[in-house]
Amino acid sequence: MTTETRATEFPLHWDSPVDANLTWRFDPMHTPDVTTPLSYDLYMEPFIRGFGMLRLCHQNYYVYMHQPAMPPSAPGPVPVEAIHAGARRWREEIIPEVRGFDEHYLTTDFDSLSADELVAELDRLVDVRLRCGQLHTIANLPWWMGMLNLIGTVQELTGGDDLAALRLVQGYGNKSVEAGEALWRLSRLAASIPEARENLLTLAGAPADKQLAALADKPAAEPFVEEFRTYLDVFGWRSGLFEFSAPTWFEDPSVPLDQVRAFMAMPDYDFAAEQGKQTEERERYVAETMAALEPDQRQRLQAAIDAAVDVVPILEDHNYYIDQRVGVLPRRLVLAAGRRLTSAGALADPADVFYLRRDELRRALLGSGEGMTALAEERRMEMARWAQFTPPQTVGAPPPTQVTGQGEDPDRFWGTHKLRSDRPGELKGNGASAGVGRGPARVLATLNEAGRFQPGDVLVTRTTMPPWTPLFAVASAVVTETGGILSHAAVTAREYGLPAVLCVENATRLIRDGQPVEVDGSNGTVRILS
């Protein structure tokens, strides 16, 4: 139960008096919850600073973002050569650089390092996160250019809207879809081994380590256990949202085990065949669209499609490589530091390290760890208290008055907020993936509740990130409180052919768990059916 927070109840602390004169906005898409101090210092702040245009502040454990006014975009079409060049840079330069960071944090024995070496690694991590923020921006710019160029070209040549344009590049797959397909294949393997199937179904809800231990005791289940561990090697370094203290799937594989069970409950579902349908639908739609154009127009549209196809996986794939994998692998370093402090009596538990600030952790490792146990406990209790409050949407200076001009572009990533429907029992949002889906609403606060999700449910949640997307394969529709047509949730919903309405204000409060709903992703409406 959260409490609405008045400004007087939300004391602000500024590193500089100048910051109080800036407008800082809460980001419910990426950081909807309280954030531990070390997660902010080592994970979020240097990463966002690397973007080069954004700044963060940490107020009462909530993350706020300041974005200065951006200059208007240059008029005219985007050169498709620049989009293709960006795609090549992603494949040939950025991925190899990021994989180098990946290898370092995956293979280094941080427990064997001296205190001075651990401190040096923590300092290096700040530089790595800064660099990853820079690479994030470099990678996503051509993707954004490619999508906007396609949308603009389709609108000019056919009069079609955003969804009409984006249907032309659905079904090409990405790392999020690969993660879902791999879980489906694991479910088929488990279903084919009676011992694996029986243990997975019998131990549903048990701790993941108990489930895996029981499976390991069954020699016949060894093929499944080996394949599941391989899955965790590839896709396990991720967690539900951007909180560094949250255990990854590699450390606690409860979520992927739940998803294996969900797929097992759908024996007639064929992931590959469903993806094939998306490809067939795309090809049919491309042919229909081209048939209505003149030859020179077809050439222009084909060039825009080719450029968009070259970059279309980047939004999800950069998240896999940069935001998730290299983002969370340094937990191995930080938890090694936590174990060092625990063995020295400076902390009660290694995970308490996340309640320290970066400078406090450095001092503690170098021998000044007095009072850290009490400090960590105090902050744990403070965070629990602030987690019960709804943070204000802005802090600092009041936001400038926005004058929306007729025909102004919608916010395609963050979404258009505060949409309303005049019809009783109907909610309005951003239509992000076409089609109509019906089913019981399953309102999930976090991905850790995935075990409650059943095939055919409508996923209703505040926000999703790519680790949520295996749920999309078993859902009948998606409703979120954040996001626009080019957000992560929208992109992956279209890859699954799943109706989605995003940025529905207060959806998780207005829709009750289990309530039947109808989601119209074409028109951006959610009807509560009872």
Side-chain angles (χ1 to χ4, degrees), residues 357-390:
R357 306 228 74 108
R358 176 193 169 205
D359 60 336
E360 295 165 349
L361 175 55
R362 294 178 87 260
R363 290 200 307 270
L365 286 168
L366 296 176
S368 300
E370 298 84 359
M372 295 300 173
T373 299
L375 181 62
E377 182 58 26
E378 177 185 349
R379 286 179 178 156
R380 185 203 311 275
M381 295 174 64
E382 284 181 346
M383 282 188 63
R385 180 171 66 87
W386 280 111
Q388 301 306 309
F389 286 78
T390 299

Short mmCIF file of all heavy atoms in Angstrom, two decimals, residues 357-390:
data_model
loop_
_atom_site.label_atom_id
_atom_site.label_comp_id
_atom_site.label_asym_id
_atom_site.label_seq_id
_atom_site.Cartn_x
_atom_site.Cartn_y
_atom_site.Cartn_z
N ARG A 357 27.47 3.80 0.26
CA ARG A 357 27.84 4.63 -0.87
C ARG A 357 29.23 4.21 -1.33
O ARG A 357 29.99 3.56 -0.61
CB ARG A 357 27.79 6.11 -0.51
CG ARG A 357 26.45 6.56 0.08
CD ARG A 357 25.96 7.82 -0.59
NE ARG A 357 25.46 7.58 -1.93
CZ ARG A 357 24.17 7.63 -2.29
NH1 ARG A 357 23.24 7.88 -1.39
NH2 ARG A 357 23.82 7.41 -3.54
N ARG A 358 29.54 4.61 -2.56
CA ARG A 358 30.82 4.19 -3.14
C ARG A 358 32.00 4.62 -2.28
O ARG A 358 32.91 3.82 -2.02
CB ARG A 358 30.94 4.78 -4.54
CG ARG A 358 32.29 4.49 -5.21
CD ARG A 358 32.47 5.35 -6.45
NE ARG A 358 33.83 5.28 -6.93
CZ ARG A 358 34.41 6.22 -7.65
NH1 ARG A 358 33.73 7.32 -7.96
NH2 ARG A 358 35.65 6.10 -8.04
N ASP A 359 32.03 5.88 -1.80
CA ASP A 359 33.18 6.33 -1.00
C ASP A 359 33.24 5.61 0.33
O ASP A 359 34.34 5.34 0.86
CB ASP A 359 33.13 7.85 -0.81
CG ASP A 359 31.88 8.31 -0.08
OD1 ASP A 359 30.86 7.60 -0.12
OD2 ASP A 359 31.92 9.41 0.52
N GLU A 360 32.08 5.24 0.89
CA GLU A 360 32.06 4.49 2.15
C GLU A 360 32.63 3.08 1.93
O GLU A 360 33.37 2.57 2.78
CB GLU A 360 30.64 4.41 2.69
CG GLU A 360 30.08 5.76 3.09
CD GLU A 360 28.57 5.75 3.27
OE1 GLU A 360 27.92 4.74 2.88
OE2 GLU A 360 28.03 6.74 3.79
N LEU A 361 32.29 2.46 0.81
CA LEU A 361 32.80 1.13 0.50
C LEU A 361 34.32 1.18 0.33
O LEU A 361 35.04 0.30 0.82
CB LEU A 361 32.13 0.59 -0.76
CG LEU A 361 32.64 -0.74 -1.30
CD1 LEU A 361 32.58 -1.83 -0.24
CD2 LEU A 361 31.84 -1.15 -2.53
N ARG A 362 34.81 2.19 -0.35
CA ARG A 362 36.27 2.31 -0.54
C ARG A 362 36.96 2.44 0.80
O ARG A 362 37.97 1.76 1.07
CB ARG A 362 36.61 3.53 -1.42
CG ARG A 362 36.13 3.42 -2.85
CD ARG A 362 36.45 4.69 -3.64
NE ARG A 362 37.81 4.63 -4.21
CZ ARG A 362 38.86 5.22 -3.70
NH1 ARG A 362 38.75 5.92 -2.57
NH2 ARG A 362 40.03 5.11 -4.30
N ARG A 363 36.44 3.31 1.67
CA ARG A 363 37.07 3.50 2.99
C ARG A 363 37.03 2.22 3.80
O ARG A 363 38.01 1.86 4.47
CB ARG A 363 36.37 4.63 3.74
CG ARG A 363 36.59 6.02 3.17
CD ARG A 363 36.29 7.09 4.21
NE ARG A 363 34.98 6.95 4.78
CZ ARG A 363 33.87 7.52 4.29
NH1 ARG A 363 33.95 8.26 3.19
NH2 ARG A 363 32.71 7.36 4.90
N ALA A 364 35.91 1.52 3.76
CA ALA A 364 35.78 0.30 4.55
C ALA A 364 36.78 -0.76 4.09
O ALA A 364 37.40 -1.45 4.91
CB ALA A 364 34.35 -0.23 4.46
N LEU A 365 36.95 -0.90 2.79
CA LEU A 365 37.91 -1.88 2.28
C LEU A 365 39.34 -1.53 2.68
O LEU A 365 40.17 -2.42 2.89
CB LEU A 365 37.81 -1.97 0.76
CG LEU A 365 36.58 -2.69 0.21
CD1 LEU A 365 36.45 -2.47 -1.30
CD2 LEU A 365 36.64 -4.19 0.52
N LEU A 366 39.60 -0.25 2.83
CA LEU A 366 40.95 0.19 3.19
C LEU A 366 41.14 0.29 4.69
O LEU A 366 42.16 0.83 5.16
CB LEU A 366 41.25 1.53 2.52
CG LEU A 366 41.29 1.49 0.98
CD1 LEU A 366 41.49 2.87 0.40
CD2 LEU A 366 42.39 0.54 0.50
N GLY A 367 40.16 -0.22 5.48
CA GLY A 367 40.37 -0.35 6.92
C GLY A 367 39.54 0.55 7.79
O GLY A 367 39.64 0.47 9.02
N SER A 368 38.70 1.40 7.21
CA SER A 368 37.87 2.31 8.02
C SER A 368 36.41 1.89 7.93
O SER A 368 35.57 2.61 7.38
CB SER A 368 38.04 3.76 7.54
OG SER A 368 39.38 4.17 7.65
N GLY A 369 36.12 0.71 8.46
CA GLY A 369 34.78 0.15 8.34
C GLY A 369 33.92 0.27 9.58
O GLY A 369 32.86 -0.35 9.66
N GLU A 370 34.35 1.09 10.54
CA GLU A 370 33.57 1.22 11.77
C GLU A 370 32.19 1.81 11.48
O GLU A 370 32.05 2.77 10.72
CB GLU A 370 34.30 2.14 12.76
CG GLU A 370 35.64 1.63 13.22
CD GLU A 370 36.76 1.97 12.24
OE1 GLU A 370 36.45 2.59 11.20
OE2 GLU A 370 37.92 1.61 12.51
N GLY A 371 31.18 1.22 12.08
CA GLY A 371 29.82 1.73 11.98
C GLY A 371 29.08 1.35 10.71
O GLY A 371 27.92 1.75 10.53
N MET A 372 29.70 0.58 9.83
CA MET A 372 29.05 0.25 8.56
C MET A 372 27.86 -0.69 8.75
O MET A 372 26.87 -0.59 8.03
CB MET A 372 30.05 -0.36 7.58
CG MET A 372 31.15 0.59 7.14
SD MET A 372 30.48 2.04 6.31
CE MET A 372 31.98 3.02 6.10
N THR A 373 27.94 -1.59 9.72
CA THR A 373 26.82 -2.51 9.96
C THR A 373 25.57 -1.74 10.36
O THR A 373 24.48 -1.96 9.82
CB THR A 373 27.19 -3.53 11.05
OG1 THR A 373 28.31 -4.31 10.62
CG2 THR A 373 26.02 -4.46 11.35
N ALA A 374 25.73 -0.81 11.29
CA ALA A 374 24.59 -0.02 11.74
C ALA A 374 24.09 0.89 10.62
O ALA A 374 22.87 1.08 10.46
CB ALA A 374 24.99 0.81 12.97
N LEU A 375 25.02 1.45 9.85
CA LEU A 375 24.63 2.33 8.75
C LEU A 375 23.81 1.58 7.71
O LEU A 375 22.79 2.07 7.22
CB LEU A 375 25.88 2.94 8.12
CG LEU A 375 25.65 3.90 6.96
CD1 LEU A 375 24.84 5.12 7.41
CD2 LEU A 375 26.99 4.33 6.36
N ALA A 376 24.25 0.36 7.36
CA ALA A 376 23.52 -0.44 6.38
C ALA A 376 22.12 -0.77 6.87
O ALA A 376 21.14 -0.69 6.12
CB ALA A 376 24.29 -1.72 6.06
N GLU A 377 22.00 -1.11 8.15
CA GLU A 377 20.69 -1.45 8.70
C GLU A 377 19.78 -0.22 8.74
O GLU A 377 18.58 -0.30 8.43
CB GLU A 377 20.84 -2.03 10.10
CG GLU A 377 19.53 -2.46 10.75
CD GLU A 377 18.78 -3.50 9.93
OE1 GLU A 377 19.42 -4.26 9.17
OE2 GLU A 377 17.54 -3.57 10.05
N GLU A 378 20.35 0.93 9.08
CA GLU A 378 19.57 2.17 9.11
C GLU A 378 19.02 2.48 7.71
O GLU A 378 17.84 2.84 7.56
CB GLU A 378 20.44 3.31 9.60
CG GLU A 378 19.75 4.67 9.61
CD GLU A 378 20.69 5.80 9.98
OE1 GLU A 378 21.82 5.52 10.44
OE2 GLU A 378 20.30 6.97 9.81
N ARG A 379 19.86 2.33 6.71
CA ARG A 379 19.40 2.63 5.35
C ARG A 379 18.41 1.59 4.85
O ARG A 379 17.48 1.93 4.10
CB ARG A 379 20.61 2.72 4.42
CG ARG A 379 21.39 4.02 4.64
CD ARG A 379 22.59 4.12 3.74
NE ARG A 379 23.28 5.39 3.94
CZ ARG A 379 24.56 5.59 3.66
NH1 ARG A 379 25.28 4.61 3.12
NH2 ARG A 379 25.11 6.77 3.87
N ARG A 380 18.58 0.35 5.26
CA ARG A 380 17.59 -0.67 4.87
C ARG A 380 16.20 -0.28 5.38
O ARG A 380 15.20 -0.37 4.66
CB ARG A 380 18.00 -2.03 5.42
CG ARG A 380 17.09 -3.18 4.96
CD ARG A 380 17.16 -4.35 5.92
NE ARG A 380 18.51 -4.73 6.23
CZ ARG A 380 19.26 -5.54 5.47
NH1 ARG A 380 18.73 -6.06 4.38
NH2 ARG A 380 20.49 -5.85 5.84
N MET A 381 16.15 0.17 6.63
CA MET A 381 14.87 0.55 7.22
C MET A 381 14.32 1.83 6.57
O MET A 381 13.11 1.94 6.32
CB MET A 381 15.04 0.76 8.73
CG MET A 381 15.40 -0.53 9.47
SD MET A 381 15.77 -0.25 11.23
CE MET A 381 14.18 0.33 11.82
N GLU A 382 15.21 2.77 6.25
CA GLU A 382 14.77 3.99 5.57
C GLU A 382 14.18 3.66 4.20
O GLU A 382 13.14 4.21 3.81
CB GLU A 382 15.95 4.96 5.40
CG GLU A 382 16.35 5.69 6.66
CD GLU A 382 17.50 6.65 6.38
OE1 GLU A 382 18.14 6.54 5.30
OE2 GLU A 382 17.77 7.51 7.23
N MET A 383 14.85 2.79 3.47
CA MET A 383 14.36 2.42 2.14
C MET A 383 12.99 1.76 2.23
O MET A 383 12.10 2.03 1.42
CB MET A 383 15.35 1.50 1.44
CG MET A 383 16.55 2.20 0.84
SD MET A 383 17.57 1.09 -0.16
CE MET A 383 16.41 0.65 -1.46
N ALA A 384 12.82 0.88 3.21
CA ALA A 384 11.53 0.22 3.38
C ALA A 384 10.43 1.23 3.67
O ALA A 384 9.30 1.10 3.19
CB ALA A 384 11.63 -0.82 4.50
N ARG A 385 10.76 2.27 4.44
CA ARG A 385 9.77 3.30 4.76
C ARG A 385 9.42 4.11 3.51
O ARG A 385 8.25 4.32 3.21
CB ARG A 385 10.30 4.22 5.85
CG ARG A 385 9.33 5.33 6.25
CD ARG A 385 9.81 6.07 7.48
NE ARG A 385 11.03 6.81 7.20
CZ ARG A 385 11.05 8.06 6.70
NH1 ARG A 385 9.91 8.66 6.40
NH2 ARG A 385 12.18 8.68 6.52
N TRP A 386 10.45 4.54 2.76
CA TRP A 386 10.17 5.35 1.57
C TRP A 386 9.50 4.54 0.46
O TRP A 386 8.78 5.10 -0.37
CB TRP A 386 11.47 5.98 1.05
CG TRP A 386 11.86 7.19 1.83
CD1 TRP A 386 12.94 7.33 2.67
CD2 TRP A 386 11.17 8.44 1.89
NE1 TRP A 386 12.97 8.58 3.22
CE2 TRP A 386 11.89 9.28 2.77
CE3 TRP A 386 10.01 8.93 1.29
CZ2 TRP A 386 11.48 10.58 3.04
CZ3 TRP A 386 9.61 10.22 1.56
CH2 TRP A 386 10.33 11.04 2.43
N ALA A 387 9.70 3.23 0.46
CA ALA A 387 9.06 2.40 -0.55
C ALA A 387 7.54 2.41 -0.43
O ALA A 387 6.83 2.07 -1.39
CB ALA A 387 9.57 0.97 -0.45
N GLN A 388 7.02 2.84 0.73
CA GLN A 388 5.57 2.89 0.91
C GLN A 388 4.95 4.17 0.37
O GLN A 388 3.74 4.32 0.37
CB GLN A 388 5.24 2.76 2.41
CG GLN A 388 5.76 1.49 3.05
CD GLN A 388 5.29 0.26 2.32
OE1 GLN A 388 4.10 0.09 2.07
NE2 GLN A 388 6.22 -0.62 1.97
N PHE A 389 5.79 5.10 -0.08
CA PHE A 389 5.30 6.39 -0.56
C PHE A 389 5.31 6.43 -2.08
O PHE A 389 6.12 5.78 -2.73
CB PHE A 389 6.17 7.53 -0.02
CG PHE A 389 5.95 7.84 1.44
CD1 PHE A 389 6.51 7.03 2.42
CD2 PHE A 389 5.18 8.91 1.82
CE1 PHE A 389 6.30 7.30 3.76
CE2 PHE A 389 4.97 9.20 3.15
CZ PHE A 389 5.53 8.39 4.13
N THR A 390 4.42 7.22 -2.64
CA THR A 390 4.45 7.52 -4.08
C THR A 390 5.27 8.78 -4.27
O THR A 390 4.88 9.84 -3.78
CB THR A 390 3.03 7.73 -4.63
OG1 THR A 390 2.27 6.54 -4.44
CG2 THR A 390 3.08 8.08 -6.12
#
